[in-house]
Amino acid sequence: QVQLVESGGGLVQAGGSLRLSCAASGRTFSNYAMGWFRQAPGKEREFVAVISQSGARTSYADSVKGRFTISRDNAKLMVYLQMNSLKPEDTAVYRCAAGPWGISGYNYWGQGTQVTVSS
């Protein structure tokens, strides 16, 4: 099993930056692709980014491409989401997840961290 805990959310002005972190526990961390998802009030959960088990491959939602960067450190059991040029529409609860490569089918989820972008 993998347990995930996010941190790094907060309130930021439009155009600013935040770096989200996801701390994992469990020896099988490096067996999983890691994804970031977000959900805004009244909206469905949305895929944000995914990184492969080794970190060699990444994929992003069109809405964040060029602004967000996902990375991982398997030695530290950490996954990161660097968010630049933030927009009010990026406001959501962000959750990390562990599972197969792709945008669905994730097995393990964190509890989430709130990101609020003011205009």
Side-chain angles (χ1 to χ4, degrees), residues 65-119:
K65 201 171 294 183
R67 299 188 297 123
F68 290 11
T69 302
I70 188 171
S71 61
R72 69 188 293 165
D73 185 334
N74 284 346
K76 295 182 178 179
L77 306 185
M78 295 292 294
V79 181
Y80 306 99
L81 185 68
Q82 178 66 44
M83 306 186 295
N84 299 328
S85 302
L86 283 163
K87 305 175 181 179
E89 51 263 43
D90 294 319
T91 295
V93 174
Y94 284 71
R95 301 175 71 185
C96 64
W101 171 264
I103 63 172
S104 63
Y106 285 77
N107 308 94
Y108 304 103
W109 294 83
Q111 82 289 349
T113 185
Q114 176 70 47
V115 171
T116 303
V117 184
S118 63
S119 57

Side-chain angles (χ1 to χ4, degrees), residues 56-67:
R57 279 195 302 167
T58 58
S59 182
Y60 299 90
D62 288 342
S63 58
V64 307
K65 201 171 294 183
R67 299 188 297 123

Side-chain angles (χ1 to χ4, degrees), residues 28 52 77 98:
T28 59
S52 64
L77 306 185

